[in-house]
Amino acid sequence: AYNCRFAGICRNPWQARPHAEELLGLAREHGLPMRLADGSFYYGWARWCGGDDDGEAGMREGLALWNEMHYSLFAPLNETLLAEREAEAGRVEVGLATLDAQLARPRCSESVASFSSN
């Protein structure tokens, strides 16, 4: 999973693809929901970057799985990658809305600060 994330940080989908494919296989074989989310998202990202528009569905599936698990540690990276793809696909307004939604959500430090002040 971290190889995929590093490839995302470097904006290198071709580096992520083989790791994401392997991750998907292992996640399905062993029933690992977190890794299924990772693999789905980064495999979809690599496919969409390579010109396969069906990759968007994989990215959105990965995001949905992470959201179901309430896992948001890498949400800023993942949602930025999605927004970049949306903009590259000619849907700039959709990409900007993705970024706006990301910025509107409270982050961990904000949640902790509001909880501790009560």
Side-chain angles (χ1 to χ4, degrees), residues 40-62:
S40 296
F41 181 85
Y42 284 101
Y43 184 63
W45 176 63
R47 288 177 55 204
W48 199 6
C49 287
D52 181 353
D53 291 342
D54 291 337
E56 179 180 5
M59 291 182 79
R60 293 192 185 282
E61 177 186 352

Side-chain angles (χ1 to χ4, degrees), residues 24-36:
L24 276 172
L26 290 170
R28 290 178 178 136
E29 180 181 344
H30 298 287
L32 305 168
M34 182 67 71
R35 299 305 157 230
L36 182 62

Side-chain angles (χ1 to χ4, degrees), residues 5-109:
R5 284 191 187 91
F6 182 71
I9 291 167
C10 295
R11 304 306 195 265
N12 188 341
W14 300 271
Q15 180 184 1
R17 187 173 180 139
H19 297 289
E21 285 177 300
E22 184 69 21
L23 201 53
L24 276 172
L26 290 170
R28 290 178 178 136
E29 180 181 344
H30 298 287
L32 305 168
M34 182 67 71
R35 299 305 157 230
L36 182 62
D38 294 333
S40 296
F41 181 85
Y42 284 101
Y43 184 63
W45 176 63
R47 288 177 55 204
W48 199 6
C49 287
D52 181 353
D53 291 342
D54 291 337
E56 179 180 5
M59 291 182 79
R60 293 192 185 282
E61 177 186 352
L63 287 174
L65 290 168
W66 282 318
N67 288 337
E68 286 174 18
M69 292 180 271
H70 305 283
Y71 182 75
S72 61
L73 181 62
F74 296 103
L77 170 63
N78 300 329
E79 292 171 6
T80 299
L81 291 173
L82 177 62
E84 288 173 357
R85 292 307 316 143
E86 290 167 336
E88 286 290 324
R91 300 183 342 240
V92 174
E93 293 300 320
V94 174
L96 290 172
T98 297
L99 294 175
D100 285 342
Q102 178 191 137
L103 292 170
R105 278 193 296 283
R107 294 291 172 227
C108 232
S109 60

